[in-house]
Amino acid sequence: MVSADGHPAGPPAGFDGLPGGVAVSHLRVYDWPADDGVCGGTPHLHLVCSEAYVVTGGRGAVQTLTASGYGVTPLAPGTVARFTPGTVHRLVDEGGLRITVLMQNGGLPEAGDAVLTLPSEYLADPRTYAAATAVPADASEEERERFVRARRDLALKGYRALREADGPEPLAAFHRAAAALVRPRLGEWRERWRRGARAAAEATGEQLDRLERGDVSHLAEAAVRAEEPSDRGRYGMCGRLDVYRGR
């Protein structure tokens, strides 16, 4: 279909997800102590999504591990810390740490774009990995907490092995194992990306095209939306999450 001036009419130049196709959640970092005396969450990485922490309360840190080495970033109210895919990260709670989490590619993290640093024997087979990481849906609250704590402690074993490794190969091997685990989901992820982050970027491109032609019709389609969390207190990898409807 084309408009009267010969330009493609196309669909309305809009996107109804969060700006840029991101995902947002509110996080209360676990205050459970691990056997090293450090309180906090489960170390893991993302394969295609960058992540940002906007610290809103309390204090803590995020430990990170990349091919460049190990690091610690302090977190306090007002800090915005961000990192790219491939960064192994472990959140540390030093007292009431509260964070608003922004995730690139809304929908992909919820669809499994995260691999925990389990010992290598748990990474070779997707079923073995799932059995060690998927929180039982029909378990009681007490059982769910016990499972999540055990999952965190198991991931810490693999994390310490990566931190203490001599040379880059163990981390590279973990990257390869993580990629193999998620490969069966890539078709679904690509479709979520098309409907989300890609659609958001394409909407901007269409709006620029319209403005260039003197077409301001998309401004008449302006809308206001508000949303409450769709789930509160969900057990996440790093803490209890208030999450919003997936896009």
Side-chain angles (χ1 to χ4, degrees):
M1 180 186 298
V2 295
S3 64
D5 61 3
H7 292 288
F15 173 75
D16 68 356
L18 288 173
V22 302
V24 64
S25 60
H26 300 298
L27 174 66
R28 292 164 287 157
V29 179
Y30 293 130
D31 59 2
W32 306 329
D35 58 12
D36 60 0
V38 175
C39 299
T42 307
H44 62 282
L45 60 66
H46 302 283
L47 290 103
V48 297
C49 296
S50 292
E51 184 171 10
Y53 295 152
V54 182
V55 183
T56 57
R59 293 196 173 268
V62 58
Q63 300 176 353
T64 56
L65 183 63
T66 69
S68 299
Y70 171 72
V72 178
T73 301
L75 300 177
T79 300
V80 178
R82 60 188 185 276
F83 42 87
T84 54
T87 303
V88 175
H89 50 288
R90 176 196 187 189
L91 268 173
V92 173
D93 176 40
E94 297 171 355
L97 186 58
R98 300 290 185 270
I99 295 171
T100 295
V101 181
L102 303 177
M103 292 294 306
Q104 183 186 16
N105 302 316
L108 293 190
E110 299 84 347
D113 178 30
V115 174
L116 279 57
T117 56
L118 302 187
S120 58
E121 60 266 27
Y122 291 88
L123 303 175
D125 175 71
R127 287 171 296 184
T128 303
Y129 178 82
T133 57
V135 181
D138 56 353
S140 68
E141 181 77 4
E142 182 180 353
E143 291 169 333
R144 288 161 70 83
E145 178 175 325
R146 188 163 51 245
F147 179 91
V148 172
R149 292 183 72 149
R151 177 181 72 176
R152 188 274 309 269
D153 294 341
L154 183 62
L156 284 171
K157 291 182 180 179
Y159 172 67
R160 291 192 194 100
L162 293 174
R163 274 187 56 182
E164 297 164 4
D166 220 2
E169 176 51 30
L171 181 59
F174 174 66
H175 287 168
R176 292 192 296 269
L181 279 174
V182 305
R183 190 167 294 121
R185 295 179 163 187
L186 294 183
E188 176 200 350
W189 288 10
R190 188 175 294 277
E191 185 54 36
R192 286 177 178 268
W193 164 72
R194 287 191 181 111
R195 296 196 309 266
R198 178 173 171 176
E202 288 178 341
T204 300
E206 184 181 348
Q207 289 161 0
L208 290 169
D209 290 343
R210 289 186 178 194
L211 291 174
E212 205 167 49
R213 303 194 300 265
D215 177 357
V216 297
S217 58
H218 68 281
L219 300 180
E221 298 163 3
V224 178
R225 297 177 177 85
E227 189 174 345
E228 295 295 320
S230 58
D231 194 4
R232 296 181 186 269
R234 177 187 296 179
Y235 282 105
M237 288 173 288
C238 297
R240 301 299 293 267
L241 287 165
D242 295 341
V243 300
Y244 294 80
R245 180 170 60 91
R247 293 290 179 182

